[in-house]
Structure formats: C-alpha cells, structure tokens
C-alpha cells in the first residue's frame, strides 16, 4: 500500500471513530449546502443585488464557474479516481453516494474557490466564507464520500483557480480594457462651470514631477482635469480645479454641482501642486484637493489620493486624527468634534450626505483607531 493510500485510510478510520448522530446531523447540513455550489451561488447573487458589493459577487461567481468547469469536466475525467466506497465496499457513508469520480472533491474546490475570491476582494466577507468552506470540505471527509487527498486537492485547486484569476488574469485584462476606455474618453460638460477633460500638456506641465510621478501605477491617461464652481467663505462664486481618476470624474461634477446649488461653502479648490504637493501646507491653507501621489499619513501605504479616488474638503476645519496626533498640526482647535463650529463635517452635513449618496466612504466613519474628517474616497 503506497503512502497516499495509508494517509487516506488513516483519515477514514478517524472519521468512522468520530461519527455520532449529533455530528452527522450538522455535517449533513453543511454537506447539503455545498451541493451544486448552491450556498455559494446564493451568496454571490445576494452580493450582486447591492451596488457596493456587485463587483465582489460577480468576480466570485466567475471564479466559481471556471473552477466548476475545470474540476468537473477536466480533472475528474482525466484522473478518474474511484470513490472510497467503490474501493472499500464495506464502507458506510450515511448520506447518498455520488456516482461521479472522486478526485478532486467538487464541494471542496467550489467552496474554496468562492471563499478565496471573496477574501481577496473583501476580507470581512472572506473570513466567514473560509470558515463555511472548511466546514463543507470537512463534511465530505466526515461522510467518507471522498478520500482525504481528494478534499485536500479540492481545497488547493479551488484556492489556486481564484488566486490566479484575480491576481494574475484579471489585473492584466482589466488594465488593458481600462486603458482603451480611458484613452477613448472625451471632454464632458455637465453645465456651465462644471466640466472635465483629459489632462492636457499645459496642465501636465504643472503637475509633472510634483503631484504626478512617472514611475507609479497611476498614469496620465487615467486622470481627468476637472473644473467646478463653488461658493467661497466670502459668499461669492469661484472657479476651482481638481485632478482625479477618470472613473469618478462625472460623480465629482455632480457632487460639486449639488453643493454649489445649495450654497455650500468651500474655502479653496486648487491643485495641490500650488503647494509643492506638500499635504501639510495644502491642508493648513484649508485647500480642498484630490489627486496627489503620496502615502497615508504615518504609514508606507499608498493613499487613495495617489489613485485619484479620494477628495479632501475644508481640511483645516476637519483634520486627520490618530493617537492624539492632529494633521494639519495647526488644526488642533478643531480636533474636538463635540464642539460646534463653522464648516465642521459630520454625519448630518450636506457634503457628507452627498458624497455618500454617490458611493463614497467618509473618513469620519472609520473604526480603525483613526479619523479623517476631511476625507472621502471610493472603492471601485
């Protein structure tokens, strides 16, 4: 008997010793959840119903489909391994016996493919998904409808399918497609004073080597130059300019247009390059801005500002706070958010409500130990 057979027999003996009516009842539930990937299909469909999780659900569903085709119509037919009860007729399974081949375990492969896809996109969803996937995989081992190596191979195969699709294939395909979309994009005017256009040579000269760095993933063609009107602290209309990702430029036009129509006051909207791309200087001058290649304060992580997916509004009055440190440093008097003062962003503020209505997240809602009351970003 070879080493693989010894391992498989070892686990079969353990599963037979573990069996009892209570455990069989619960394992039966988990096993049935994995039939035809039914629970994973339901989860993906539910995610598709909501805009914020639609992409997560769609990509997970694609991974599930690819895994199913490769596992059930390629690997199983090539390897053609018999089920444990076909090899050992004395073996009892308690549940109904599948008639297809055993290697790799379809339940395990589909479960880990979907759980991996969910985890790679959203860890909060992915962690419980992995727990469910592990229980489904274990249930197939428990009922001896698969050998241990069938289940192990299924888990590994499902993980690899999703990892390769989402970390290798998808980025290349998406970037190639996105580049074509970006490069075909034209100028757009929402109404007088509110427009966007590709970053022209004149504007590019102002940002190149300052807020824009040539050796980053954010390329010039991915950005838009945006013109908006806003009401200043003097109560008068002013023209402002932003640079942001082309993916959100139309959203920003609509957001700033709504704020303008409602007389919402913003002191300045200038390119951060006027401050040498120095975030501290820009914030201290209460300048509202968007794109700038930089890291998150006090970390080495790339900010969403570097991707053009974040906007800061009236930053002097709405500082970034972490462990008692306030940025900009001159904004300490605005760090106490229980106090009432002009231009304070809170959950009832029109600006916060408007950005959220267009799918943005507000830094004032962060629960990671820090707060960034000026900050709005979006996940795409």
């Amino acid at each position: 008997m070879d080493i693989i057979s010894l391992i498989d027999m070892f686990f079969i003996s353990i599963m037979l010793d573990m069996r009892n009516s209570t455990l069989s009842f619960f394992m039966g539930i988990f096993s049935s959840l994995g039939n035809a990937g039914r629970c994973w299909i339901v989860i993906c469909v539910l995610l598709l119903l909501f805009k914020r999780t639609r992409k997560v659900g769609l990509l997970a569903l694609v991974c599930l489909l690819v895994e199913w085709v490769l596992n059930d119509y390629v690997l199983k037919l090539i390897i053609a391994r018999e089920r444990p009860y076909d090899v050992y007729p004395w073996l009892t399974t308690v549940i109904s016996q599948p008639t297809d081949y055993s290697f790799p375990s379809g339940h395990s492969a589909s479960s880990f493919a979907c759980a991996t896809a969910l985890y790679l996109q959203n860890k909060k969803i992915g962690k419980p998904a992995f727990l469910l996937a592990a229980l489904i995989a274990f249930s197939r081992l428990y009922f001896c409808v698969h050998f241990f190596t069938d289940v192990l191979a299924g888990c590994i195969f499902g993980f690899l399918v999703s990892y390769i699709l989402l970390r290798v294939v998808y980025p290349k395909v998406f970037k190639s497609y996105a580049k074509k979309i970006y490069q075909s994009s034209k100028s757009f005017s929402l109404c007088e004073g509110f427009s966007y256009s590709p970053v022209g040579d004149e504007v590019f000269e102002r940002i190149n080597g300052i807020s824009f760095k040539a050796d980053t993933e954010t390329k010039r063609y991915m950005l838009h130059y945006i013109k908006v009107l806003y009401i200043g602290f003097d109560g008068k209309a002013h023209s402002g300019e932003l640079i942001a990702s082309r993916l959100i430029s139309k959203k920003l036009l609509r957001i700033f247009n709504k704020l303008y129509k409602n007389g919402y006051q913003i002191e300045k909207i200038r390119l951060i390059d006027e401050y040498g791309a120095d975030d501290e200087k820009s914030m201290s001058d209460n300048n509202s801005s968007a794109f700038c290649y930089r890291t998150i304060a006090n970390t080495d992580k790339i900010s969403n500002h570097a991707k053009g997916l974040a906007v800061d509004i009236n930053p002097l009055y709405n500082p970034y706070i972490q462990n008692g440190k306030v940025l900009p440093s001159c904004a300490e008097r605005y760090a106490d958010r229980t106090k009432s003062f002009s231009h304070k962003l809170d959950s009832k503020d029109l600006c916060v409500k408007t950005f959220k209505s267009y799918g943005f997240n507000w830094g004032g809602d962060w629960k990671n130990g820090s707060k960034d009351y000026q900050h709005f970003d979006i996940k795409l």
Side-chain angles (χ1 to χ4, degrees):
M1 185 178 290
D2 59 30
I3 186 66
I4 293 178
S5 297
L6 286 173
I7 292 172
D8 286 334
M9 278 303 300
F10 172 74
F11 277 96
I12 285 175
S13 64
I14 291 177
M15 294 303 108
L16 292 175
D17 289 340
M18 286 180 61
R19 280 189 189 173
N20 61 68
S21 57
T22 302
L23 191 55
S24 293
F25 172 76
F26 287 106
M27 287 298 103
I29 293 174
F30 288 114
S31 182
S32 64
L33 286 175
N35 290 343
R38 63 175 64 164
C39 69
W40 303 110
I41 294 172
V42 170
I43 290 171
C44 290
V45 170
L46 289 175
L47 292 172
L48 287 170
L49 296 177
F50 303 95
K51 188 175 182 180
R52 294 183 66 177
T53 57
R54 192 163 295 155
K55 177 185 170 184
V56 176
L58 179 60
L59 290 178
L61 202 57
V62 170
C63 290
L64 190 62
L65 177 62
V66 172
E67 173 280 320
W68 171 64
V69 172
L70 293 177
N71 190 80
D72 285 31
Y73 293 95
V74 179
L75 287 182
K76 281 195 173 187
L77 297 181
I78 291 175
I79 298 170
R81 188 183 194 186
E82 291 183 303
R83 296 270 179 173
Y85 42 79
D86 293 323
V87 178
Y88 306 109
W90 50 265
L91 189 62
T92 58
T93 60
V94 181
I95 61 173
S96 60
Q97 298 179 346
T99 57
D100 61 338
Y101 292 118
S102 191
F103 185 95
S105 164
H107 280 62
S108 304
S110 61
S111 296
F112 272 78
C114 198
T116 301
L118 295 173
Y119 182 83
L120 291 175
Q121 299 179 83
N122 189 313
K123 289 182 173 58
K124 289 184 179 179
I125 300 175
K127 288 178 180 179
F130 266 127
L131 176 59
L132 177 59
L135 289 169
I136 290 174
F138 179 76
S139 72
R140 305 304 282 176
L141 182 62
Y142 175 83
F143 287 119
C144 298
V145 292
H146 285 291
F147 291 109
F148 169 76
T149 46
D150 299 335
V151 173
L152 179 62
C155 295
I156 295 172
F157 180 69
F159 170 82
L160 288 176
V161 167
S162 290
Y163 189 87
I164 292 171
L165 284 175
L166 296 183
R167 286 292 184 263
V168 180
V169 178
Y170 174 70
K172 290 183 178 180
V173 173
F174 177 76
K175 285 180 180 178
S176 176
Y177 176 73
K179 186 172 182 178
K180 291 179 181 178
I181 297 296
Y182 289 149
Q183 292 176 331
S184 64
S185 179
K186 299 179 181 179
S187 300
F188 171 80
S189 177
L190 180 67
C191 57
E192 186 176 355
F194 294 86
S195 65
Y196 65 69
S197 61
V199 177
D201 292 339
E202 183 179 344
V203 174
F204 188 66
E205 285 182 13
R206 295 167 57 192
I207 69 172
N208 191 24
I210 307 176
S211 67
F212 181 87
K213 310 296 182 184
D215 58 345
T216 68
E217 290 189 8
T218 304
K219 305 304 180 184
R220 177 180 173 181
Y221 64 80
M222 297 179 178
L223 301 170
H224 264 153
Y225 174 65
I226 304 170
K227 297 282 288 183
V228 298
L229 296 177
Y230 66 96
I231 302 299
F233 284 4
D234 58 4
K236 298 179 181 179
H238 299 270
S239 180
E241 52 184 353
L242 298 157
I243 288 178
S245 168
R246 290 179 178 235
L247 298 175
I248 66 170
S249 51
K250 191 167 289 187
K251 287 179 182 284
L252 291 181
L253 287 185
R254 289 171 176 158
I255 289 170
F256 281 100
N257 181 248
K258 182 174 181 178
L259 296 178
Y260 175 72
K261 287 181 176 179
N262 283 273
Y264 191 89
Q265 292 188 337
I266 301 173
E267 187 168 10
K268 299 180 181 72
I269 304 180
R270 299 173 180 168
L271 299 186
I272 199 170
D273 304 84
E274 294 188 21
Y275 303 87
D278 187 318
D279 196 42
E280 175 73 17
K281 290 181 179 178
S282 178
M283 289 190 296
S284 297
D285 197 37
N286 202 34
N287 177 53
S288 300
S289 63
F291 171 76
C292 180
Y293 184 80
R294 61 178 177 82
T295 56
I296 300 172
N298 304 317
T299 74
D300 295 325
K301 295 181 180 179
I302 299 301
S303 167
N304 273 330
H305 285 282
K307 304 172 186 177
L309 296 175
V311 181
D312 290 340
I313 301 294
N314 288 335
L316 176 63
Y317 296 85
N318 303 283
Y320 172 84
I321 305 170
Q322 183 181 42
N323 298 325
K325 186 173 183 179
V326 180
L327 295 174
S329 56
C330 60
E332 289 188 2
R333 61 188 182 278
Y334 302 113
D336 186 351
R337 308 308 286 184
T338 63
K339 293 182 179 179
S340 178
F341 51 85
S342 299
H343 316 300
K344 183 178 80 169
L345 294 174
D346 57 30
S347 59
K348 298 179 181 179
D349 185 81
L350 175 65
C351 184
V352 174
K353 289 182 177 180
T354 304
F355 269 97
K356 282 187 174 182
S357 70
Y358 281 90
F360 282 78
N361 303 300
W362 176 47
D365 289 330
W366 290 355
K367 302 185 187 308
N368 60 359
S370 63
K371 297 286 187 180
D372 198 353
Y373 293 101
Q374 65 196 261
H375 182 86
F376 300 90
D377 64 18
I378 191 167
K379 292 182 179 180
L380 298 173

